Amino acid sequence: MERLGHLKTYHFPAANNDDDNSQSSDSSPIGGSTTPNLLSQNSGEQEKLMSRPPRRVSSTNEYDDPFSNAEIYYGPETDPRKATTKYQKQGKKLNRTRTMSVFGNISTSRQTTIEDHYLKRRGSEDDTYLSSKGNRRFFIENVDSTLEELLRNEDTDRNYQITIEDKGPKVIKVGTANSFGFNHISIRGTYMLSNLLQELTIAKSFGRHQIFLDEARINEDPVNRLSRLITNQFWNSLTRRIDLYNIGDMASDGKIDTPEAKNPRVYVPHNCPEQYAFYIQAAQMNPSLKLEVEYLPEAISPEYVKSLNRTPGLLALAMEEHVNPSTGEASLIGYPYAVPGGRFNELYGWDSYMIALGLLEGNKVDVAKGMVEHFIFEIKHYGKILNANRSYYLCRSQPPFLTDMANIVFDRIGGHNNPSAINFIKRAFVSAIKEYKSVWTSQPRLDPETGLSCYHPDGIGIPPETEPDHFDTILYPYTKKYKCTMEEFRKMYNDGDVKEPALDEFFLHDRAVRESGHDTTYRFEGVCAYLATIDLNSLLYKYETDIADAIEKYFGDKFVDPNDFSVTTSADWRKLANERKERVNKYMWDEDSGFFFDYNVHIKKRTSYESATTFWALWSGLATPHQAQVMIEKALPKLEVLGGLVCCTERSRGPISINRPVRQWDYPFGWAPHQILAWKGLEDYGYKGIARRLSYRWLFMMTKAFVDFNGIVVEKYNVTSGIDPHRVEAEYGNQGADFKGVAKEGFGWVNSSYLLGLKYMDSHARRALGTCIPPDPFFKNLRPDQMKIYDL
Ligand SMILES: OC[C@H]1O[C@H](O[C@H]2O[C@H](CO)[C@@H](O)[C@H](O)[C@H]2O)[C@H](O)[C@@H](O)[C@@H]1O
Ligand SMILES: [Ca+2]
């Protein structure tokens, strides 16, 4: 036990609880003995749990850690077959052949090798004892055949995942490490079996045929497991950084299926010759890649963008110079960034902000900073922060978050004490001011009469990146009119061979819907470009107040704009913010319902669609305390459901039918950015308890899906479903669900939401989440003093 002193204390990755170290070691995700009553009422038991030594996930030696990253856990150093080769000959220990503790009880077999295990193998009582301590280890003698057996018996619906929907025996026998596979024990239940499947799949991908596997790794508390995977693995899987060798992967895009889209292609701004030379070099170094490199023209018109529909390509992003320390040679390398995941393998606008919040929770500051650098580059070279960096997104943007994103990164790179951070924040604000003026408060997005802004991008024709049948209902009547196939009509319309003003109007709004990030919802269909939304105007209010603060702090309260040479002070920007606030109140606030509604600038009428984006008025600081209170009393009850906040009310969405299919940004779905912004807004206005309650709901839903469905983390959820919330059959389907054996990346903003939501949870709530206690029984069984912290 003296050795305990060497062990590092485990801190939960994202918790700010005052009792972090009290994580119990016996939380069993499935069939655990913990009940809501025990959790909430038996304080003696709780104290006992809390007085235990903290659970250890890291140790003096990373090879000792049952929760170390896959590269370590399944790397060559831990291969049992190497025991008789060079490691033993060199007298080195084989780290993973030891039985070792998860909780600090260091085994006496610490120094043994594989043969020691075999020779000194102990009886099964030892394994029972170790099991009771949570320290048991397995020896998987043949990874391939165990995987085959597991899938054959347990994956009865043959989707390469083990879930609660599979009808197998839910048990497999594996050898124990102590007996070097001689004795067998059973692994039972969906959660453990699916974790076994995940671990074997990863081990196989590392080329391993035999492994030792800690029971703790497949029986890990799911809250720990998911937050650990997000922080240590998912973020890495989603991170990209362009160099001479990987451009083929970055450029690949599954969204467009034309023959010309098969080859990777990069478009470079007309005035970036170094980048052009870089990509040409990459193409020459690997001719089999067939990388095509093209300059963009100086003026990028909607006609030009449409002309690229069949030859889509990646748009160049910001790069820095890198000097190879051994050769002294200088070359370019891209700033890192993280992609959302699934079909979205490029840098997105508002996803990046949400992702940055989560990256910073995991200390991946360079990636978050890299994304700000890319936005500065995009504003300079493409005139806006792009929907994403593909040619077909060149005309449109997404909800703007740059000022807040720059501020949070600034704080993490040294802030005021770091001259390069000051340089960074100044460049970011110069860019944000340019974006504010030339994109969001210029034509066609600005409505001169109200002074409010709308999503209203340029563009021509049918967006090529959408799933092929998305517009069939709209286009079908035209195939009848022109007596042609759908494909023929699409071409005729896109090429301008037929003029259909009603369709032009439809696609004007469709593009605006996509710029809003809420693609798609009946709230916006056929009308979006005419809506001054509460979403966008809240975000612009935040820009105005952030810019005022930045001018005061970093520009001596006098900002000379290098782009138009105008001079402004913080007071000018505060005035703009106040004016916007007044207009939003006048046109959008509805005291009776407690909602901020969108305002239709075309027909000059307030809408009545009840959307969760009403809470953005809290996130941005635009709402008054009184409005916040009314929203909570009247709007919140309409939007709070089992798994958190739903996009909109069922009433607003209206009936669904074959001709009116469900839309992914409508009831009954919930999205991470809505949760994240509402939590922060509520907390800022003094309603932390509500934020905590909503986050418990969201985390419960995510954890339950993760436990029951093979470690799944998806783009969006059905927040009204207690059984299979990840199942969303709308539009292009749910991203993140389509994996074989193991989910490797989750989904960007959902990953963030998990880490951010956990910051509201104390150890009691974490334990309840770990045993998947649904929100209602959890809240109902709280003691009165505990209820208060959830604002119940
Ligand atoms: O391909 C269809 C649409 O896909 C994107 O929208 C969705 O994914 C984005 C990335 O996660 C996200 O930013 C957006 O809010 C989602 O609705 C894309 O942004 C759309 O432009 C595109 O048409
Ligand atoms: Ca299955």
Side-chain angles (χ1 to χ4, degrees):
M1 288 300 279
E2 314 86 87
R3 302 183 90 134
L4 268 177
H6 299 291
L7 302 176
K8 284 182 205 153
T9 307
Y10 170 50
H11 293 287
F12 296 122
N16 65 353
N17 316 310
D18 41 20
D19 52 358
D20 277 352
N21 289 343
S22 59
Q23 177 68 9
S24 116
S25 59
D26 61 356
S27 47
S28 162
I30 297 295
S33 60
T34 316
T35 64
N37 279 345
L38 180 135
L39 274 165
S40 60
Q41 283 160 14
N42 190 342
S43 59
E45 182 62 25
Q46 274 192 48
E47 272 155 32
K48 221 164 71 196
L49 290 171
M50 288 176 185
S51 64
R52 285 184 188 168
R55 183 172 184 148
R56 180 174 69 92
V57 295
S58 68
S59 73
T60 46
N61 182 338
E62 59 194 348
Y63 296 108
D64 292 351
D65 187 345
F67 306 118
S68 57
N69 278 2
E71 318 73 272
I72 304 286
Y73 202 82
Y74 300 115
E77 294 281 303
T78 59
D79 192 338
R81 292 171 314 149
K82 301 253 168 80
T84 52
T85 60
K86 73 175 186 194
Y87 289 92
Q88 276 186 318
K89 282 181 202 144
Q90 290 166 354
K92 284 187 189 166
K93 70 174 183 179
L94 183 67
N95 295 292
R96 297 225 53 81
T97 62
R98 296 175 297 95
T99 300
M100 43 74 191
S101 164
V102 188
F103 310 113
N105 300 330
I106 304 297
S107 161
T108 48
S109 62
R110 189 174 181 106
Q111 303 300 325
T112 60
T113 66
I114 205 163
E115 279 161 358
D116 293 332
H117 259 299
Y118 189 67
L119 295 170
K120 294 182 198 160
R121 78 174 179 245
R122 292 170 287 183
S124 57
E125 296 82 5
D126 286 331
D127 280 311
T128 313
Y129 173 74
L130 289 170
S131 170
S132 73
K133 293 292 206 180
N135 297 351
R136 191 158 56 177
R137 299 178 68 230
F138 309 122
F139 174 57
I140 311 288
E141 197 174 354
N142 188 326
V143 167
D144 285 348
S145 63
T146 313
L147 249 180
E148 275 163 29
E149 181 190 344
L150 191 59
L151 286 169
R152 190 172 54 245
N153 295 343
E154 301 292 349
D155 175 27
T156 55
D157 60 7
R158 302 282 174 251
N159 66 350
Y160 295 92
Q161 299 170 11
I162 297 176
T163 73
I164 53 166
E165 291 171 350
D166 287 309
K167 306 269 185 289
K170 304 280 183 196
V171 60
I172 190 172
K173 280 190 184 310
V174 293
T176 68
N178 269 338
S179 70
F180 198 38
F182 185 80
N183 294 327
H184 285 80
I185 46 178
S186 299
I187 295 176
R188 293 175 193 277
T190 302
Y191 180 64
M192 283 186 78
L193 289 170
S194 78
N195 283 345
L196 177 64
L197 171 63
Q198 293 165 46
E199 296 300 328
L200 294 176
T201 307
I202 296 170
K204 186 176 162 122
S205 75
F206 276 85
R208 293 291 293 270
H209 301 294
Q210 286 184 344
I211 55 166
F212 286 102
L213 182 62
D214 291 272
E215 183 173 29
R217 199 168 171 97
I218 59 169
N219 192 26
E220 185 180 5
D221 171 84
V223 177
N224 284 358
R225 183 171 170 88
L226 179 50
S227 46
R228 175 176 68 76
L229 290 176
I230 292 169
T231 309
N232 298 344
Q233 297 194 1
F234 292 179
W235 285 145
N236 293 345
S237 307
L238 293 171
T239 298
R240 309 279 181 269
R241 182 172 193 155
I242 293 174
D243 64 26
L244 283 171
Y245 309 95
N246 63 16
I247 179 62
D249 294 338
M250 311 293 135
S252 90
D253 179 13
K255 288 193 271 342
I256 300 204
D257 189 24
T258 61
E260 301 88 334
K262 297 270 179 288
N263 292 345
R265 188 174 293 105
V266 180
Y267 290 102
V268 181
H270 76 104
N271 53 355
C272 290
E274 303 83 8
Q275 287 220 17
Y276 187 80
F278 167 89
Y279 287 114
I280 292 289
Q281 189 187 350
Q284 287 169 348
M285 281 166 60
N286 185 359
S288 65
L289 191 61
K290 301 202 172 102
L291 177 68
E292 296 177 20
V293 187
E294 284 183 38
Y295 267 128
L296 289 168
E298 185 171 355
I300 298 170
S301 64
E303 289 74 16
Y304 172 74
V305 175
K306 196 204 75 180
S307 77
L308 303 182
N309 279 357
R310 294 189 68 79
T311 54
L314 193 75
L315 300 174
L317 291 173
M319 303 189 97
E320 58 183 332
E321 203 174 88
H322 170 74
V323 180
N324 183 325
S326 38
T327 62
E329 235 174 73
S331 71
L332 291 180
I333 185 162
Y335 283 98
Y337 61 97
V339 301
R343 77 204 291 254
F344 304 116
N345 183 29
E346 49 272 317
L347 175 86
Y348 277 77
W350 74 316
D351 294 67
S352 295
Y353 171 72
M354 305 294 160
I355 291 171
L357 295 173
L359 287 168
L360 293 177
E361 286 304 313
N363 289 324
K364 309 226 176 280
V365 182
D366 60 325
V367 188
K369 177 172 178 285
M371 298 202 285
V372 175
E373 292 292 354
H374 291 311
F375 287 166
I376 294 172
F377 181 93
E378 286 190 345
I379 292 168
K380 179 171 177 192
H381 293 286
Y382 306 122
K384 58 181 84 65
I385 293 176
L386 297 171
N387 181 153
N389 67 318
R390 296 275 175 198
S391 50
Y392 44 83
Y393 289 138
L394 266 165
C395 286
R396 63 178 187 255
S397 188
Q398 267 197 328
F401 284 90
L402 177 56
T403 56
D404 199 59
M405 190 167 168
N407 278 337
I408 56 173
V409 170
F410 174 72
D411 288 343
R412 295 293 294 275
I413 57 172
H416 295 273
N417 301 323
N418 178 2
S420 86
I422 304 270
N423 171 284
F424 165 87
I425 196 81
K426 283 181 155 182
R427 286 188 295 112
F429 270 91
V430 168
S431 300
I433 290 170
K434 179 177 176 201
E435 182 206 8
Y436 172 90
K437 289 180 181 173
S438 60
V439 179
W440 299 112
T441 57
S442 287
Q443 292 300 325
R445 291 175 178 85
L446 176 71
D447 172 51
E449 196 173 322
T450 58
L452 297 170
S453 295
C454 307
Y455 293 110
H456 193 136
D458 287 330
I460 296 176
I462 305 171
E465 80 284 1
T466 53
E467 61 286 4
D469 58 355
H470 182 76
F471 298 108
D472 282 4
T473 324
I474 301 292
L475 300 180
Y476 183 71
Y478 296 94
T479 63
K480 294 283 145 224
K481 177 174 170 185
Y482 292 101
K483 299 189 177 36
C484 62
T485 65
M486 197 65 88
E487 201 41 54
E488 285 162 348
F489 179 73
R490 276 203 198 99
K491 187 167 180 336
M492 278 156 60
Y493 176 68
N494 278 339
D495 291 350
D497 297 342
V498 290
K499 299 279 172 238
E500 289 295 344
L503 262 193
D504 296 346
E505 174 88 357
F506 174 85
F507 282 112
L508 159 73
H509 296 301
D510 182 80
R511 285 189 292 275
V513 172
R514 292 171 200 285
E515 182 165 86
S516 80
H518 289 65
D519 45 283
T520 64
T521 159
Y522 289 115
R523 173 183 169 209
F524 288 162
E525 196 157 299
V527 71
C528 189
Y530 299 152
L531 293 181
T533 64
I534 185 59
D535 325 5
L536 178 57
N537 288 283
S538 294
L539 300 183
L540 293 178
Y541 175 83
K542 181 81 162 69
Y543 259 49
E544 287 151 355
T545 52
D546 284 348
I547 290 170
D549 292 345
I551 289 180
E552 225 169 347
K553 285 195 239 166
Y554 316 118
F555 296 92
D557 209 7
K558 183 179 169 193
F559 178 71
V560 184
D561 192 329
N563 293 305
D564 61 13
F565 307 107
S566 63
V567 180
T568 49
T569 64
S570 58
D572 296 322
W573 288 89
R574 291 201 202 289
K575 187 162 171 278
L576 287 173
N578 281 333
E579 283 167 5
R580 185 177 303 278
K581 188 192 246 181
E582 279 166 20
R583 289 166 182 156
V584 166
N585 283 333
K586 174 175 168 195
Y587 293 107
M588 301 184 186
W589 174 242
D590 180 53
E591 180 94 9
D592 289 344
S593 66
F595 275 91
F596 284 97
F597 290 126
D598 306 324
Y599 180 76
N600 187 321
V601 300
H602 196 62
I603 57 167
K604 304 187 197 316
K605 202 167 168 247
R606 184 186 294 161
T607 68
S608 60
Y609 209 98
E610 296 163 334
S611 160
T613 56
T614 191
F615 294 111
W616 295 20
L618 301 185
W619 179 83
S620 64
L622 183 148
T624 62
H626 168 74
Q627 286 169 330
Q629 198 190 328
V630 179
M631 279 166 84
I632 283 156
E633 279 164 19
K634 297 182 178 171
L636 179 65
K638 293 185 173 175
L639 297 169
E640 180 173 350
V641 297
L642 175 70
L645 285 176
V646 66
C647 277
C648 68
T649 58
E650 192 172 8
R651 189 189 66 80
S652 286
R653 183 205 62 186
I656 295 303
S657 66
I658 287 200
N659 292 328
R660 197 171 183 274
V662 68
R663 297 298 196 206
Q664 61 175 0
W665 284 92
D666 274 334
Y667 183 95
F669 306 123
W671 290 70
H674 284 180
Q675 321 298 318
I676 293 171
L677 297 186
W679 298 340
K680 177 74 168 62
L682 287 162
E683 186 179 353
D684 288 350
Y685 277 75
Y687 298 97
K688 189 168 181 182
I690 301 179
R692 181 175 290 120
R693 189 173 79 223
L694 293 175
S695 57
Y696 185 90
R697 292 182 175 285
W698 179 257
L699 296 178
F700 159 75
M701 179 193 62
M702 279 187 66
T703 310
K704 178 114 172 43
F706 177 79
V707 165
D708 288 348
F709 291 90
N710 205 120
I712 206 166
V713 175
V714 281
E715 179 194 24
K716 63 222 168 212
Y717 291 87
N718 177 344
V719 280
T720 64
S721 163
I723 306 290
D724 53 356
H726 65 291
R727 194 156 278 140
V728 173
E729 272 145 32
E731 306 181 40
Y732 51 73
N734 215 348
Q735 300 303 297
D738 185 23
F739 58 84
K740 289 198 163 60
V742 61
K744 295 199 181 115
E745 53 183 38
F747 195 84
W749 55 28
V750 180
N751 297 344
S752 291
S753 72
Y754 201 75
L755 302 182
L756 295 168
L758 277 181
K759 295 175 77 173
Y760 293 103
M761 300 296 109
D762 59 13
S763 59
H764 168 238
R766 285 181 73 117
R767 277 199 298 279
L769 287 171
T771 50
C772 294
I773 297 179
D776 284 352
F778 175 70
F779 296 143
K780 216 180 285 161
N781 286 291
L782 292 170
R783 290 190 313 255
D785 60 313
Q786 289 174 317
M787 285 196 177
K788 272 197 213 134
I789 67 165
Y790 295 89
D791 218 316
L792 288 165

